[in-house]
Amino acid sequence: MPRPATLTADLITAAALKVGDREGVKAMSMRRIAAELGCDPMSLYRHFPDRQALLDAVADLALADARDPDPGESWEARLVAVLTSIRSAALRHPGIAAHIAGRPPLQRHGRRLAAAIIGALAEAGLPPADVIRATQALIAYLAAALAMSLQAGEPDARWRELRAAIAALPDALPDDALPVTGSDDQFGYGLGLLIAGIRVEAEHGRER
Amino acid sequence: MPRPATLTADLITAAALKVGDREGVKAMSMRRIAAELGCDPMSLYRHFPDRQALLDAVADLALADARDPDPGESWEARLVAVLTSIRSAALRHPGIAAHIAGRPPLQRHGRRLAAAIIGALAEAGLPPADVIRATQALIAYLAAALAMSLQAGEPDARWRELRAAIAALPDALPDDALPVTGSDDQFGYGLGLLIAGIRVEAEHGRER
DNA sequence: ACCTGAACACCGTTCAAGT
DNA sequence: ACCTGAACACCGTTCAAGT
């Protein structure tokens, strides 16, 4: 790895994302990232106050290729599009995805995407105070669904018993026909519930 | 700290929770917990395969005093009651709450509470496959809302700009009248959206 | 004034040596 | 066979010493 002439925050962020993509979260240490750049670990502290701040920047960068929704679509379709796009972008960078889930980034790309969500909710007809409530609810749901998708990669034995409990209900499907934790289908279902709830809420407001 | 005659998994779990409550997540290290018990750090590995497994047990213990809902209530009221109770129990143990949020515990207490959620959703009239989808959606939302409540303790500057963006909407309220990230009110609003969505979904199913 | 790297105060876990 | 604690391979960050 040739050392670049001058170190910048962007160079560090890009290098950290690369290390995370290649070797996972654990490898994204200050020492390891510095080694990737061929510089002293302490040099990173010239551009970021601490590791948390660096990871925040990496998380935001990972959302760079999450696309804004087509403004011609309905507010419902735009919400689905932007949230699905964020989820896909995050899952393309599993090293930093857990950090995105735990601390939704609100820098360049995070704000751009949040603006798309806010715009859709305003068009749905929610009053401003509910727009922020609904935005945070959607981001919260996205974050947690993302975290579950990451853990579902492992042999999600922790959910087996829960699924078994449901299989014991009357009219139950066979256990292996039950939806899988963290799947696209599972994500879409919960998102659908929230959007249905938003629609109901917006209609109530209009009647009042 | 007097060393108990025999070390058990329960003793270790209780000691770990106590350390976490008193000194936060960072203090819940194998070494620190062992010191609390007056034993060698390696002794813990006789009862738990690794730190993750120990924290899973602590997370479940923290939910011990989350109460089951009153079976006489409507399914909506029961859902609100059980999810609010889980959130309160978790917030009473901030040291382990982040772990609960990231990895919903599904041992003794986690399963008991999940059963309450499943029961309410089945009574709402969802088919079994949707019961599991909705259960996971509710748990996901709860987990993330919990994580946000924990971070909101800090001077949540990260959300200020998002709130500023909403304050710029037509009909906006003054910025300081906007709902606060991670507040009880914020949690309740998102939960209300999900429940409204579940009601719509259950009605659709009934018409079909 | 700026930058470096040694040092501090920790980690989780392995494993060889003791009983 | 069981248990212990020394040792390994790391951490994030501080800070004194160099330029």
Side-chain angles (χ1 to χ4, degrees):
Chain A
M1 256 323 116
R3 176 210 303 248
T6 56
L7 208 57
T8 63
D10 284 349
L11 271 173
I12 294 170
T13 309
L17 182 60
K18 196 156 69 173
V19 170
D21 286 348
R22 205 170 50 214
E23 301 171 56
V25 222
K26 303 267 283 284
M28 285 171 41
S29 69
M30 300 303 266
R31 288 165 138 103
R32 183 70 195 71
I33 293 161
E36 177 79 15
L37 289 160
C39 72
D40 190 275
M42 280 312 100
S43 306
L44 308 182
Y45 286 88
R46 208 135 282 287
H47 298 91
F48 297 96
D50 53 25
R51 182 169 179 259
Q52 170 105 294
L54 170 51
L55 292 186
D56 285 347
V58 174
D60 199 70
L61 177 61
L63 297 183
D65 58 344
R67 313 278 289 127
D68 285 328
D70 178 346
E73 301 274 3
S74 70
W75 66 265
E76 288 100 331
R78 268 149 54 207
L79 280 184
V80 171
V82 70
L83 287 161
T84 303
S85 181
I86 294 170
R87 181 167 174 272
S88 301
L91 290 176
R92 247 171 271 138
H93 301 284
I96 196 66
H99 193 260
I100 295 174
R103 241 184 166 244
L106 291 171
Q107 298 176 26
R108 195 152 103 88
H109 299 292
R111 278 214 289 272
R112 169 174 62 83
L113 297 161
I117 295 172
I118 290 166
L121 291 170
E123 191 182 300
L126 292 184
D130 285 354
V131 167
I132 194 168
R133 286 192 183 95
T135 300
Q136 292 187 6
L138 286 166
I139 292 176
Y141 174 70
L142 167 67
L146 191 55
M148 287 187 179
S149 299
L150 293 171
Q151 297 209 336
E154 302 161 32
D156 64 343
R158 291 169 52 254
W159 293 93
R160 283 215 80 77
E161 293 107 34
L162 190 148
R163 297 177 56 181
I166 290 159
L169 290 174
D171 303 328
L173 307 172
D175 184 61
D176 58 358
L178 292 174
V180 173
T181 309
S183 62
D184 291 357
D185 162 85
Q186 169 63 39
F187 173 69
Y189 182 82
L191 183 52
L193 291 183
L194 282 165
I195 289 175
I198 290 164
R199 199 181 297 116
V200 168
E201 195 65 28
E203 277 161 16
H204 279 187
R206 221 165 282 130
E207 280 161 23
R208 231 177 281 134
Chain B
M1 257 321 115
R3 176 209 302 248
T6 57
L7 208 56
T8 63
D10 284 349
L11 271 173
I12 295 170
T13 309
L17 182 60
K18 195 157 69 174
V19 170
D21 286 349
R22 204 171 50 215
E23 301 171 55
V25 223
K26 301 267 283 282
M28 285 170 45
S29 69
M30 300 302 267
R31 288 164 138 103
R32 183 72 194 69
I33 293 161
E36 177 79 15
L37 289 159
C39 73
D40 190 275
M42 282 310 101
S43 305
L44 307 182
Y45 286 88
R46 209 134 282 287
H47 298 91
F48 297 96
D50 53 25
R51 183 170 180 258
Q52 170 104 295
L54 170 51
L55 292 186
D56 285 347
V58 174
D60 200 70
L61 176 61
L63 298 183
D65 57 344
R67 314 277 290 128
D68 284 329
D70 179 345
E73 301 275 3
S74 70
W75 66 265
E76 288 100 332
R78 269 149 55 208
L79 280 184
V80 171
V82 70
L83 287 161
T84 303
S85 182
I86 294 171
R87 179 167 176 273
S88 300
L91 290 176
R92 247 172 270 137
H93 301 284
I96 196 66
H99 194 260
I100 295 174
R103 246 185 161 245
L106 291 170
Q107 298 177 27
R108 197 153 104 86
H109 300 292
R111 278 215 288 273
R112 168 175 62 82
L113 297 161
I117 295 172
I118 290 166
L121 291 170
E123 191 181 301
L126 292 184
D130 286 354
V131 167
I132 193 168
R133 285 192 184 96
T135 300
Q136 292 187 6
L138 286 165
I139 293 176
Y141 174 69
L142 167 66
L146 190 54
M148 286 186 180
S149 298
L150 293 170
Q151 298 210 334
E154 303 160 32
D156 65 342
R158 291 169 51 255
W159 293 93
R160 283 214 79 78
E161 292 107 35
L162 190 150
R163 297 177 56 183
I166 289 159
L169 289 174
D171 304 327
L173 306 172
D175 184 61
D176 60 357
L178 293 175
V180 173
T181 308
S183 63
D184 291 356
D185 162 84
Q186 168 63 39
F187 173 70
Y189 182 81
L191 183 52
L193 291 183
L194 282 165
I195 289 175
I198 290 165
R199 198 182 297 116
V200 168
E201 194 64 28
E203 278 161 14
H204 279 188
R206 221 166 283 130
E207 281 161 21
R208 233 176 278 133

